[in-house]
Amino acid sequence: MRKEKVKNYKGEDQVALDVLKNMKEQGLESTFDRYQNQQPQCGFGSTGLCCRHCQMGPCNIDPFGRGAQTGVCGADANTIAARHFLRIVAAGSAAHSDHGRSVAHLFISTARGEAPGYEIKDKEKLFMLAEIFDVKTEGRELKEIAEEVGEMGLAEFGKAYGYQRLVVRAPENRQKVWEKLGITPRAIDREVTESMHRSGMGTDQDFKNIISQASRVSLADGWGGAMLATEMQDALFGTPKPVHGKANMGVFKKDTVNVVVHGHEPQVSEMVAVVAQDPEMIKLANEAGAKDGITIGGICCTANELLVRHGIPLAGHLKMQELIIATGAIEAVVVDVQCIMQADVDLSNEFHTKVITTSSKAKISGASHIEVTDENALAKAKEIIKIAIDNYGNRDNETINIPKVKQSDVVVGFSHETIKYMLGGKFRASYRPLNDNIINGRIRGVAGVVGCASSTVWPDKRPYLDLVKELIANNVLVVQTGCAAAECARGGLMVPEFKKYAGEGLREVCEAVGIPPVLHSGSCVDNSRILIALSELVAEGGLGNDFSELPAAGTCLDWMHEKALTIGQYFVASGAYIVFGTESPVAGAPDVHKYLTEGIEEETGGKWAFEPDHSKIAKMLIAAIEHKRDLLGINEKKERKLYDMEDRRKLEVV
Ligand code: NFS
Ligand code: SF4
């Protein structure tokens, strides 16, 4: 993590650096400046040693053993750090799952015909969900089936009894592990509530027991709320299939009305995107002087959702939101929930840009609010686009500074269904070819490179690009979601031609199957797609009987949101090796840290690693994958050369 004063405006992400330089010259502050202003950050907080759970505190534990070793109530470092970890994970589950709940509501309104503009687009997905939920389909009308499936989905959040129903999609052995550990997730709301309860003053004070609840509440997300969000969104908006698109800030044009959609839930942005294509709206835009019509560009996971389903351009990820506003060419920033910086509003006031909030859950002081519901979304999306069109004339052409970069082409949309079809062909969709190529060693394994790209990394470096290049050069197939995916899309890694940078084995397979070596699978809730893809790998046979045996691993480098830690924890609880590119959030409690990075493996088969030096992470993932291959007995005995930093530098990419 970078702590020194930032001043280098030449580097790997020159587009971002150019805009930042411009902002500096205009006296505009960015998230990177604010990060510097926060240094040094509180050591108690960053190592998990601060507790504010009751009014006798806040209490800190001295990590050097000189000062207090317990809080006023006697809670020790282990308890305080484990509770801190649990609350982060619970908050992440709450965020993803509340998103899932909104989708379930929309699903029901759509089935009832109460949500104009929406429809159930993917019937196969609907029937898949119906089967899992034991909803009868024979002789019934589609809307009836959809309504019952929606109700069943919604029930997963608050049902009084039983477990999450989607866990049946995990390998049987994995379900047994969860059962044995007592961490099979129950109702989602119950797990979040219980996490808050247990981590309050005076309840759970045994760190392993606290972490086991972190596992259970995270599983309620991965195999519950987030998975429901993915599947119901697919049923509503379509399951992603390979689609061409563009990524980077250059997607915005001087001669179009530019609308940013930002946040996470695709309900609003889907409608905004539909309305923007309406000839009547395009005519209005032309009349307002925008001769090329309307451009929609996305930020964060809303962008990923629109990109993988419709090829709508992705403008950037989390740390680019202010930079995009600072182009001066944005008429409206339409936001829903999560990862929206409050600073966007102040910055937009320096330009003609209007920030419009749309969710009752997420208002921002100073922004305009147009509340969008399932029922009024189509009408409100029109209102929003009209506001943007009217605002076009207010641009200050002097201050417009859209970076003159070539946007990157991308081919994205690799849902697990699509991967299966591409591997096996439409009539015998199957993961068999992937299993075979992993077993024969052409592909060494699979790495998930997911999660945030945060303001802690100054854009003169692009660690995600280095990491992914090193992985594919070593014949590791990469699957991506979230802002990590957005970063690699911007970086030009998501085109089939990129396979020339892959190792020989991976390249051959990519050529034969017609996939890029770096697969964009969607937003952060879509990590559930990776869970299902891994389940398919296990079910196909030859790679062990559980996730923990697969030659697979995952990473997130500069994670920032609580949701990222939740994702990491549900993968660890599902048996995966996960490396995060920061210091350990429980570094101040060595026992908890040791448990998460070692001891927990004996129970779940998965474990954490925390490594702030991003250049080491590819090797850690490859070593873990090779270790799993050894255990499976599929490793040939010959010597292999690992690509290192120097080899990687020779790989020239855009
Ligand atoms: Ni994921 Fe998506 Fe990005 Fe991080 Fe935020 S947008 S839900 S949390 S920052 S990857
Ligand atoms: Fe301090 Fe205990 Fe209260 Fe936490 S719960 S603030 S450690 S007294």
Side-chain angles (χ1 to χ4, degrees):
M1 218 176 292
R2 222 185 147 94
K3 303 268 181 190
E4 72 269 29
K5 268 267 177 261
V6 159
K7 52 189 169 316
N8 185 9
Y9 289 97
K10 287 269 170 265
E12 293 175 7
D13 194 349
Q14 200 54 53
V15 184
L17 293 166
D18 286 346
V19 181
L20 281 165
K21 186 156 180 260
N22 234 303
M23 288 176 75
K24 192 91 189 161
E25 284 162 7
Q26 292 171 57
L28 300 173
E29 189 190 72
S30 78
T31 177
F32 299 98
D33 299 314
R34 292 190 297 273
Y35 178 61
Q36 292 305 329
N37 293 344
Q38 283 295 332
Q39 302 309 319
Q41 284 167 313
C42 170
F44 296 113
S46 51
T47 55
L49 292 181
C50 170
C51 180
R52 303 177 323 164
H53 297 189
C54 87
Q55 202 56 17
M56 293 189 287
C59 300
N60 295 322
I61 304 296
D62 182 344
F64 305 109
R66 291 189 288 262
Q69 291 304 295
T70 56
V72 176
C73 66
D76 63 11
N78 288 335
T79 295
I80 290 175
R83 288 196 302 214
H84 168 72
F85 187 87
L86 172 56
R87 285 211 169 177
I88 298 176
V89 172
S93 282
H96 275 161
S97 298
D98 211 33
H99 165 175
R101 187 198 320 266
S102 300
V103 183
H105 277 290
L106 176 63
F107 200 89
I108 295 168
S109 317
T110 304
R112 289 183 184 152
E114 292 164 0
Y118 299 102
E119 57 180 315
I120 305 286
K121 283 206 182 120
D122 187 336
K123 299 190 181 72
E124 266 178 58
K125 190 91 344 153
L126 172 68
F127 280 84
M128 184 279 290
L129 285 170
E131 200 183 321
I132 293 181
F133 289 148
D134 292 327
V135 171
K136 287 207 174 50
T137 52
E138 253 184 54
R140 294 182 80 187
E141 270 195 63
L142 199 80
K143 57 181 203 282
E144 239 182 277
I145 302 170
E147 187 174 351
E148 197 178 332
V149 164
E151 294 284 3
M152 292 298 287
L154 194 57
E156 291 299 287
F157 292 86
K159 61 189 183 186
Y161 306 103
Y163 300 104
Q164 285 301 298
R165 298 188 69 142
L166 298 181
V167 299
V168 298
R169 304 174 87 190
E172 239 170 73
N173 281 359
R174 180 51 33 182
Q175 294 178 49
K176 284 188 192 139
V177 170
W178 292 334
E179 221 172 284
K180 185 166 158 249
L181 296 172
I183 57 172
T184 311
R186 302 160 298 180
I188 297 156
D189 293 349
R190 177 173 183 181
E191 299 305 358
V192 174
T193 302
E194 185 169 318
S195 301
M196 296 307 287
H197 173 197
R198 280 164 73 154
S199 55
M201 188 271 159
T203 302
D204 206 350
Q205 289 159 96
D206 172 301
F207 76 84
K208 286 191 188 168
N209 206 41
I210 297 170
I211 298 297
S212 86
Q213 178 58 17
S215 292
R216 186 160 52 178
V217 73
S218 72
L219 291 170
D221 176 23
W223 295 89
M227 195 174 275
L228 282 164
T230 297
E231 302 297 18
M232 292 195 156
Q233 283 171 181
D234 280 357
L236 279 167
F237 309 124
T239 301
K241 298 189 177 63
V243 59
H244 284 269
K246 302 268 183 205
N248 221 346
M249 284 160 82
V251 301
F252 296 113
K253 304 277 174 307
K254 217 171 164 147
D255 295 318
T256 60
V257 170
N258 294 322
V259 179
V260 166
V261 283
H262 176 16
H264 284 75
E265 300 180 352
Q267 287 96 314
V268 174
S269 51
E270 282 272 344
M271 277 304 135
V272 168
V274 166
V275 170
Q277 289 161 13
D278 182 342
E280 186 201 335
M281 291 294 153
I282 295 172
K283 191 164 159 263
L284 284 178
N286 296 152
E287 285 165 9
K291 66 176 171 53
D292 292 337
I294 304 168
T295 296
I296 304 288
I299 302 180
C300 284
C301 282
T302 287
N304 287 320
E305 300 274 4
L306 292 180
L307 178 70
V308 297
R309 290 205 178 85
H310 313 298
I312 289 170
L314 177 148
H317 42 56
L318 176 99
K319 64 179 168 183
M320 299 196 64
Q321 52 193 286
E322 290 169 293
L323 281 57
I324 287 164
I325 293 172
T327 60
I330 308 299
E331 276 55 63
V333 180
V334 186
V335 304
D336 50 88
V337 292
Q338 302 172 18
C339 300
I340 301 145
M341 292 191 186
Q342 183 167 358
D344 292 352
V345 175
D346 273 348
L347 184 62
S348 72
N349 288 337
E350 302 286 333
F351 302 92
H352 73 303
T353 309
K354 286 194 192 321
V355 176
I356 302 170
T357 53
T358 57
S359 164
S360 59
K361 294 172 199 164
K363 296 188 179 181
I364 307 176
S365 311
S368 323
H369 185 72
I370 296 181
E371 198 145 317
V372 178
T373 62
D374 298 348
E375 293 75 22
N376 72 12
L378 189 58
K380 292 292 170 186
K382 275 194 184 155
E383 194 179 319
I384 289 169
I385 291 287
K386 279 188 185 153
I387 289 173
I389 293 171
D390 287 345
N391 200 19
Y392 182 79
N394 297 329
R395 269 192 196 181
D396 176 357
N397 285 320
E398 303 270 285
T399 61
I400 290 192
N401 178 32
I402 307 174
K404 285 179 204 54
V405 277
K406 194 169 73 75
Q407 329 141 30
S408 299
D409 287 307
V410 292
V411 178
V412 298
F414 295 93
S415 55
H416 61 88
E417 291 90 344
T418 292
I419 299 174
K420 197 170 175 180
Y421 283 134
M422 295 197 77
L423 286 167
K426 180 86 188 160
F427 299 104
R428 51 178 187 88
S430 157
Y431 271 74
R432 193 70 245 161
L434 183 55
N435 285 47
D436 287 344
N437 280 300
I438 293 175
I439 293 165
N440 70 25
R442 276 202 192 92
I443 295 179
R444 309 306 299 175
V446 182
V449 179
V450 307
C452 318
S454 86
S455 320
T456 58
V457 176
W458 178 247
D460 61 340
K461 297 274 182 300
R462 303 188 76 173
Y464 275 114
L465 305 194
D466 296 338
L467 170 81
V468 169
K469 285 181 217 164
E470 191 170 344
L471 289 171
I472 65 165
N474 284 288
N475 295 307
V476 174
L477 177 67
V478 173
V479 185
Q480 293 208 268
T481 56
C483 288
E487 172 68 351
C488 292
R490 292 178 62 236
L493 272 55
M494 286 178 173
V495 278
E497 301 77 65
F498 193 71
K499 64 179 178 280
K500 65 175 179 245
Y501 299 106
E504 202 186 327
L506 176 61
R507 190 169 64 237
E508 280 170 17
V509 177
C510 289
E511 267 159 16
V513 179
I515 53 171
V518 186
L519 303 176
H520 192 325
S521 294
S523 66
C524 288
V525 291
D526 294 338
N527 283 307
S528 62
R529 300 190 199 281
I530 301 180
L531 292 174
I532 300 301
L534 297 178
S535 299
E536 298 263 10
L537 283 179
V538 172
E540 197 52 55
L543 292 172
N545 295 314
D546 192 0
F547 294 134
S548 50
E549 294 181 61
L550 289 172
T555 188
C556 171
L557 300 183
D558 33 326
W559 73 282
M560 66 96 202
H561 204 284
E562 293 151 322
K563 293 172 282 178
L565 201 73
T566 313
I567 294 165
Q569 185 64 21
Y570 71 62
F571 272 103
V572 168
S574 300
Y577 172 64
I578 298 297
V579 188
F580 270 30
T582 62
E583 297 290 354
S584 162
V586 295
D591 294 343
V592 183
H593 176 78
K594 196 160 186 279
Y595 177 62
L596 287 173
T597 54
E598 292 176 28
I600 197 168
E601 192 177 18
E602 287 161 29
E603 293 161 18
T604 71
K607 65 176 174 182
W608 281 98
F610 294 96
E611 177 49 69
D613 182 349
H614 293 164
S615 70
K616 291 184 180 157
I617 291 179
K619 281 188 190 58
M620 294 167 76
L621 298 173
I622 293 165
I625 285 171
E626 292 298 330
H627 177 59
K628 291 282 153 98
R629 296 182 60 87
D630 283 336
L631 293 176
L632 284 167
I634 56 173
N635 255 354
E636 59 287 281
K637 293 278 173 281
K638 67 175 194 262
E639 284 291 303
R640 287 185 326 103
K641 177 184 182 295
L642 283 186
Y643 273 74
D644 57 15
M645 271 300 279
E646 206 174 307
D647 296 321
R648 214 166 56 199
R649 288 211 182 90
K650 291 184 200 145
L651 302 175
E652 263 182 54
V653 239
V654 276

